[in-house]
Amino acid sequence: MAPVQQPEEELFVIDDELWERLVDLTGGTATVCYQCGTCTAICPWGEVRQEPLSVRKFMRRAQIGLQDGGPSLWFCTTCAQCEVYCPRGVNICDVFRSLRTIAWEQRTVEKGLPSLLWSVFWNGNPWTQPPSQRSSWAKNLDIPVFDPAQHEILLYVGCTSSYDKRAQKITLSLVQVLQAANVRFGYLGDEEPCCGESVLSVGHKPYFNEIAKNTMQVFREKGITNVVTISPHCYDVFKNHYPAITGQEITSSCKHYTQYLAQLLEEGRLELGTPFNSLTDRSAVSGTADKHRKITFQDPCYLGRHNDEYQAPRLVLKAIPGVELIEMENHGQDSLCCGGGGGRMWLETAPGERFSDIRVEEAAKSGANILATACPFCVVCLEDSLKGLGMHDLKVMEVAEIAASALLL
Amino acid sequence: MSDSVLVIGGGIAGIQASLDLAEAGARVVLVERQATIGGVMAVLDKNFPTLDCSICIEAPKMSEVDLHPNIEILSLAEVDSVQGTAGNFSVKVRQRARYVSDACTRCGECTIVCPVVLPNEYDSGMAARKAIYTPIPQSAPGAYVLDITNCLNTPPNYLPCNHCIDICPPKAIDLSIPGENILHRNVSAIIIATGYDMLDPRRMVEYGYGSHPDILTAMEFERLINSAGPTGGEIIRPSDGTHPDNILFVLCVGSRDRRHFRYCSRFCCMYSIKHAYQAIDHSIKNVDVLYMDVRAYGKGFDGFWQRTELEGARFIHGRPSTISPNGNGDIRVLYENVAQGERNEKDYHMVVLANAVTPPSGLAELTERLGIELDEDGFVQSEEILGGLVMTTRPGIYTAGCVSGPKDIPDSVSEGSGAAALALGHVKERHWAEVPEIEPRVDIETPRVGVFVCQCGSNIAGVVDVERVVKYADSLPEVVFASTQMFSCAGNTQQEIEEAIKRENINRVVIAACSPKTHESIFRGVLIRSGLNPYLLEMSNIRNMDSWVHKHDKESATTKAMDMVNMAVEKARRLTPLEASHLPLLQSALVIGGGIAGMTAAAALADQGFETHLVEKQPQLGGLLNHLDDVAPAGIKANKLVESKTHHIQKSGVRVHLETSVETIAGLVGSFDTRLSNGENIQVGAIVVASGAMPYRPAEFGYGQDPSVVTNLELENSLTHHAPDAQRITFVSCVGSRQENMGCSRYCCTSMIAQALRLRRMGKRVRVLYREIRSYSRQAEELYEQAMRSGVQFFGYDAELPPQEAITYQNSCVDLHDQLLGVNVRIPTDLLVLVVGLTPVEDNLAGQLKLSRSEDGFYMELHPKLGPVQTAVEGVYLAGTSQGAKDVRESMAQALAAAGKAGALLSRGVIEKEPLTARLIPELCKGCMRCVKVCPYSAIEQIGKPGKDGTVKIHEAACMGCGTCAAECNFDAIEMPYFTKEQILVQIDAALADNPAGKCLVFTCNWCSYAGADLAGIEKRQYPPSARIIRTMCSARYEEDFVARAFEKDAGAVLITGCRLTETGSDCHYNYANKFTWKRFQHWQRKFQRKGIDPERLQLRWISAAEGKEFAEKIAEMDDVVNQYMSKQAKKPVSIQE
């Protein structure tokens, strides 16, 4: 290699094959990028790091066929904040996932990520939990296994909401709400397959495709057509990624539970009549002197920006008497990511670099007492930040939990 | 009736179309939706890159339209329906009432008493107006208009207000007239020129427009820097009235954005550069510009960009993600500096958004009524194969300006003329107004001078104490009247002058205002309408050459203005009436060059009914198109285009001379005598030069030796036959363009992208190495996006370097530093395509036609904004790439424009010759024949033998009026009308009447150095106030007696200036006449040195029309000379005493 201008600088040879792979993997989405840098400027990493993530340069690499992202390739939380403002409509998250796919092929992934894949492979979940314990949260509940003849919907619990102690509360609350509305639903118990979102988010596309096919096979065999998920992440892969891989549209009608609850409310099947201020006694929110409950809502990236659903969770919250819904400075399509997407749940984020720290401060600034959200990742990250920052006047709650508290009992 | 044309829209494109049509004898119905014509150009401050004052150059045209007997302006009107076909349309127009009749004296009382305060649309809502108001000072037709929807008297208010009606002295306001009138007109053709709107930036929430008062649109900023705007030209923050220390300009706001408008808005880059330049000029220290590609594609654009950068503007490649109030009164902007790869969060005092150009509101409805189609972006759809962007989908209906997509002023003007040329093809009957029967004023022997001092808003009055100047003028001999005016050129003020002339019995008029180069014809019109001979006018340029250049020294500027007025009055007292002569004109045209421009021009001329000759060196027509396959961006087949034009040429009866060149051209406008290489002689009245350009022949990248290196044109030629064998193809842009004297070649980016896309679709691996992608033309940005999407890879090389320095090519590999990633990359390449620029053709035309060339070697147009196809030589027009690099579409538009202009000249059959030609005073002639020897046009014939019995004859038709002969004559036997020896001497005397030693007398020529001095003013180049400027047509007019008189009067210094004369050529507009200036100057210097004049005190400096800076610098130098002389003089008496 004879370097051109500065002999000390490395010379990168354009790799046609790699480029074609990338075009193939991304559907060519990065080719139209004209390198304006809007993405880099809007990326939330800029809020927490001196040297932020240069999203633009990753697009450039994909555009000309260069792989050499270094560790920052794994920073992207796939929050899609950049996609909202991209003047060329580049599917930036997918470019990151594809660059990560190449990194898997080249064995240049971050420490800790292979064990995530192995856990999915051996345990059917990314949390290194035994498959036999998947439905242990439902031990004392009488939840039927899904039967297409009887049930309107399949409640797809997902790995995090099955195993994580905190997230299980969401599941239990949602079950309570569905039962109160007399919804005929079933679940898959220990046989529930992993949706593979964690695998996709860290970019192992071939393995994700395999998972998707297997999961779809299970759904098909069990006659499942109407899926309601707890996590927006599961919802997103079912809705947006499965159909292309499996060639079947079964999951494209999948719903996030907030959407389903909003539908139940509209149909009059669900009533959330207990005034929210009486909730304080039961939910033991600190500083309960304030009877008027102010709730602010954190839009999960995969419900909001990825799927354009900003209304459903707010409709559910607003249906509860006594709730005052207030918005944080950044909300809707500008909602700040909790930092848990894109595989970041399985990677260490240095203190002081956590988006959720900024987010809870913002929530506190809004004057809310409750920071509501509708995603298990968000709940986990935001609660961690509250604890870490020692903020006691704010409580993180899932919409399902708030709804359960407002059931007419 | 087949004698009329309907023009919809009174912006600059519509104005140009109307004027050309009317000049050619067509009747014009000009329908304008607003209360005044002028369009966007009327509210702009300056035009790029020349920094011409926009309204200064447009107002004369507006007033010409207003006054033209062939033009009917229907303002506040819209086209309601159109029936019929080409040649016979019947049009229904709905016109809203103005409610103010012609009885209005424009006193303005109504506006004062009107209680309704509304945002003024002409100030982008940044200032207020009343419900009865005048839109802009130069408003035409009519000044005042009543905004009935906001008037309190009408629904929904019903308040019996009547304030204006009660106070109006002539009772010109009438609310009882019908609010709307339906008018019917029959026309033979229609031109739609309804301009554009701009994106409401509120649609881009992330850019914060509306959330902070100091986030402005470009148009709001334009009004802020306009001296006629809401702040009198001061840049202040709307939020708190303070001056910002820093400003950010943001480009591509809603343009090139799939969420809003995919296309490039074309002119925002340049006006933002202009804004940055002006902000610095307003002493704002930190000026940043966020850009994506700087699309500086026009003549002189790159230079202007560089200059703005040198002045201190920071150009940052990047695009903001968010713009929002920072909570402390300033504005926070988040962007990535792409070149540095840095994310920046910066606070600014002011942010200006270059918001996208959009189709004008209501265009969809209008085009439906007209039965023409829109393109997918909502602009008017063009039939490109027939007439560039000027032809719509319906015969007989043409477009001009931005209604067919964004474009800047010269392109709009070209299209205006071009549309006029095509429309004239349908006009069967022509009319010319009779010379107005105005009773000539009698008793003009004894001069009675009237002096009118223009304030030009605050342009003059903000610096010069105009009242003092008026008072002073009043004290001068034979001055019978002196007054000051807000805008002397405004239609209403012109009327004031007319009235004053009549009332005060004025018979010599001095207008102390701006440049005679832009406004003389306007004021001559005033004299004509007043019954005065138009040559009884003298202008004093106290704006460009005084107030604009001495901004910080108001006292000296005022004194200088008084001197200048004195000089003008002295000259005016000696003016005599001059009569234009009517010379015969041949109604035929010669088009030189049979490429697309020449073919288009020739066909359009023949369609207008003129005998037209088309001369082409090659054996077939088509020029460069014969070597092309596809024409980008529209993807038209080149051979189809040539075919359709050839067919048109045959049909219209053009006489084609193939394999022929022009050998000699003699004569002048009206009767050019040309000799062709085949021996044929052709006499024509007008000439269109369409001799084209040459593709640059590269020496870079081993071209010529290495078979894997080809030019884009060779590639194009081969694409007509087959796909190339090479798999990996790499394009290198800007080979031979944008270096040294060569500007941007305009056509190449788009054409290169089209080729790249084609090759990509053949499955090739295609890379484009670019300096900047300038896909500015219609559909070109979309093509760029398509090429990217299909996998063409684009690499930006170092924009500071020419490609041969930024890129290396060896062993089938291209190496470069990718600016976007900041790394060195190597691209395996089988075929390297050099995208070559266009270079000017060396031919014998320039010398023979006395055409000047601009710095890049292309023929120079008359004016970069408003005279894009005319030349300084009457009767000679430019079309296509001979004027400068351009693409096929632009060449066609310009060719049509040239045909329109030439057609307007030819249609009357006679030409008026300005009475500025040399006149012999036979009784003084000694027959020395010196004049015969020096005349650059051989216009003086020797009669008899030299000496006692001999004399000379001056041929008026051949004389161009330079005055070389008059300066050469030792016996004062030749007089130059309007620039007589006596007139110049009294100007010298007046200039040096007071404190002569402190002054530098500057002799200028009309075409270059005076224009350069004008430009120094336009560019606000500050220089010392010691200069006193005298203008004649040519520097060769200046004679020794003038210099002698100046030193006799103890002038501090004398500076002779003129068009540039170099070893290789001359810019002189009189065929090298300035070489006599040079000769004489050398003689004078020796002679006056012998007389004891320090040679420093007599200097010569060539100044081109583009050298405002050089002019200002030279005057500063001369000021030092003057000061040295003064201090020497001051010491003198002391030494005598010793």
Side-chain angles (χ1 to χ4, degrees), chain B residues 535 578-585 910-917 919 955-959:
Chain B
Y535 294 90
L578 303 171
E579 293 303 334
S581 37
H582 289 81
L583 301 171
L585 172 135
V910 286
I911 33 169
E912 282 194 8
K913 183 97 181 165
E914 262 214 287
L916 299 181
T917 50
R919 287 178 194 176
H955 291 284
E956 192 186 356
C959 175

Side-chain angles (χ1 to χ4, degrees), chain A residues 340-404:
Chain A
R344 296 298 304 172
M345 287 301 280
W346 293 272
L347 289 163
E348 198 53 49
T349 305
E353 292 190 356
R354 293 172 186 162
F355 303 166
S356 48
D357 287 0
I358 303 174
R359 192 56 168 165
V360 294
E361 300 272 14
E362 208 181 301
K365 223 169 87 186
S366 74
N369 313 79
I370 292 175
L371 170 54
T373 187
C375 168
F377 289 178
C378 288
V379 169
V380 171
C381 293
L382 295 169
E383 270 191 1
D384 275 358
S385 286
L386 280 185
K387 276 182 214 143
L389 296 170
M391 293 168 67
H392 304 295
D393 298 339
L394 190 64
K395 183 184 163 72
V396 174
M397 287 184 83
E398 237 276 1
V399 170
E401 294 167 355
I402 297 171

